[in-house]
Amino acid sequence: MGEVDPAFIQDVEHRPKLAVSQAEGIPLIDLTALAGYSPSDGAVAASAAAAIEGLVAEIGEACKKWGFFTVVNHGVAAEKRERIEREAREFFGQDLEEKKKVRKDERKVMGYYEMEHTKNVRDWREVFDITVQEPTLVPASLKDGEEAVIEWTNQWPEYPPGLREACEEYTQEMEKLAYKLMGLIAQSLGLPANRFGEFFKDQTSYLRLVRYPPCPAPHLALGLGRHNDLGALAILAQDDVGGLEVKRKSDGEWVLVKPIPDAFIINVGCVMQVWSNDMYESVEHRVMVNTEKERFSIPFFFNPSHYTMVQPLKELTDEHNPPKYRPYSWGRFYVIRKGGNFKKLDVENIQIHHFRI
């Protein structure tokens, strides 16, 4: 990745500004009150009820205004995060030939990859994907009415030997946190805390390890081009190098998200935008690179079961606020988008706006 291949170069209007705005950052939310919170029924100790109510209001405001927020005191043990970060560095530190032994392709969609495109421009990064529920079931066919499924499974490298255990331990922590956050988001929409639980019975969630190498032309390329996340919720661990930018809803400016030690960055995805009937929008974000330092990040994408028909929730629509989207099959949508990672497309890949009424 030394020379800048034209495949990495962004169109002029999408090139990063190296002097970025850090004026008003995304909200910082302290989750200490979650210690006794159960997302299955929203139950909390009476003494914590007021604190939870405050949390619900804060999260609702963050989802509405930003689509992003940072959480601290989240209950995830620091050593589990440190362990997976160590293992990720070990894995990416190997020769390309070693990493390619677990390279993903259109048939094996989990594993290592270094050629991803976003909006048809190549990303300056390498990734390793792990599906959470193994096997993960997805539709075998993209045609309506056909119900056959195929199984997605993980590919694990021989080295580092501790990678698998570190990833499996970490994803358990991410799932627990995701369910709690989904409970709070449900309550912020005026719904029962367990409203979203049914959609994740056979979840298609996945974990991604990412390395952004130093780049000789950070004014031309992006580690990850502008995009919206597809699923319900994403939980991101980033190192102290920084580079994530969020498009501020109030004025369309790109704002750098400052790394905070032991914090997670949360954002709502396109599925939540549809479920909430646009009350909570999925916001564009991207990743800048730099000439000096490599950057590591670990996003967890919380995605529903493949058979979920994604549509605005009935409780959030009425004659004055009719549904803004037609129902769509999450499984088919997800399979199409995953396939788009392996080739440069001539047209825009499928997006939720294609289902807008």
Side-chain angles (χ1 to χ4, degrees):
M1 287 191 175
E3 290 299 307
V4 179
D5 182 313
F8 290 103
I9 296 175
Q10 296 284 330
D11 289 341
V12 174
E13 69 271 28
H14 299 305
R15 289 179 191 168
K17 289 183 199 154
L18 299 188
V20 290
S21 168
Q22 259 187 312
E24 189 204 354
I26 65 171
L28 177 65
I29 298 177
D30 186 331
L31 297 183
T32 303
L34 273 192
Y37 177 80
S38 165
S40 58
D41 55 11
V44 286
S47 57
I52 292 288
E53 260 181 59
L55 258 188
V56 166
E58 272 188 89
I59 284 176
E61 182 66 13
C63 289
K64 206 174 286 180
K65 191 176 171 190
W66 279 92
F68 267 81
F69 52 97
T70 300
V71 296
V72 292
N73 298 320
H74 38 67
V76 177
E79 58 268 21
K80 292 195 175 169
R81 175 167 166 172
E82 286 158 10
R83 183 181 178 196
I84 194 171
E85 285 171 350
R86 271 198 314 275
E87 299 286 345
R89 285 173 188 271
E90 291 282 327
F91 172 75
F92 287 123
Q94 299 178 96
D95 292 342
L96 185 59
E97 285 316 302
E98 282 302 309
K99 292 181 280 196
K100 279 188 169 178
K101 289 178 182 174
V102 286
R103 194 173 193 257
K104 61 182 187 171
D105 56 36
E106 288 178 66
R107 200 172 47 83
K108 293 185 279 194
V109 300
M110 296 294 151
Y112 173 77
Y113 206 56
E114 77 298 355
M115 299 275 288
E116 281 198 338
H117 289 73
T118 302
K119 311 274 190 208
N120 289 328
V121 181
R122 195 167 154 199
D123 297 322
W124 192 272
R125 64 178 187 160
E126 51 184 339
V127 304
F128 183 75
D129 288 348
I130 304 111
T131 194
V132 171
Q133 197 157 306
E134 196 168 20
T136 292
L137 302 180
V138 296
S141 166
L142 299 177
K143 292 178 188 160
D144 286 341
E146 295 197 13
E147 294 189 7
V149 294
I150 52 171
E151 295 183 346
W152 285 352
T153 54
N154 288 319
Q155 301 187 76
W156 294 106
E158 283 179 30
Y159 182 85
L163 181 68
R164 180 175 187 164
E165 189 181 55
C167 288
E168 288 172 348
E169 272 187 5
Y170 185 78
T171 53
Q172 285 175 3
E173 295 297 317
M174 290 297 98
E175 277 185 86
K176 281 189 268 185
L177 181 56
Y179 276 116
K180 287 180 176 181
L181 290 166
M182 291 296 282
L184 295 169
I185 290 170
Q187 287 179 278
S188 75
L189 289 164
L191 303 168
N194 63 358
R195 179 63 178 91
F196 295 118
E198 63 182 278
F199 298 120
F200 295 90
K201 186 169 163 284
D202 299 301
Q203 59 179 288
T204 54
S205 308
Y206 72 103
L207 185 72
R208 168 167 275 185
L209 311 179
V210 191
R211 175 181 175 261
Y212 299 94
C215 174
H219 57 297
L220 298 177
L222 284 165
L224 173 57
R226 73 199 192 285
H227 68 287
N228 304 73
D229 290 341
L230 307 179
L233 190 78
I235 304 175
L236 173 75
Q238 65 167 349
D239 66 11
D240 59 358
V241 174
L244 173 67
E245 289 189 309
V246 173
K247 197 171 196 178
R248 188 163 50 204
K249 284 176 69 173
S250 60
D251 58 8
E253 277 295 306
W254 288 103
V255 178
L256 188 65
V257 178
K258 213 171 157 192
I260 296 172
D262 198 33
F264 289 112
I265 297 155
I266 315 297
N267 65 287
V268 296
C270 293
V271 166
M272 183 58 73
Q273 177 168 331
V274 174
W275 279 339
S276 71
N277 207 32
D278 279 355
M279 281 175 72
Y280 295 166
E281 290 176 27
S282 169
V283 168
E284 270 196 327
H285 48 290
R286 66 186 189 183
V287 176
M288 298 208 314
V289 280
N290 69 78
T291 54
E292 324 253 300
K293 291 181 175 172
E294 60 184 354
R295 174 180 181 262
F296 290 88
S297 72
I298 306 173
F300 169 81
F301 299 101
F302 198 43
N303 295 338
S305 313
H306 76 88
Y307 45 77
T308 303
M309 289 303 291
V310 181
Q311 57 193 310
L313 298 180
K314 287 187 171 61
E315 304 97 302
L316 302 178
T317 57
D318 57 32
E319 56 189 298
H320 306 296
N321 181 30
K324 294 175 180 168
Y325 298 90
R326 301 192 309 278
Y328 66 91
S329 156
W330 164 253
R332 291 195 185 96
F333 183 91
Y334 185 46
V335 168
I336 291 169
R337 287 298 298 258
K338 276 282 189 199
N341 287 338
F342 300 105
K343 49 188 175 280
K344 187 169 176 175
L345 304 171
D346 295 327
V347 293
E348 178 185 49
N349 205 339
I350 191 168
Q351 309 283 350
I352 59 165
H353 68 71
H354 296 141
F355 301 97
R356 195 177 271 284
I357 294 171

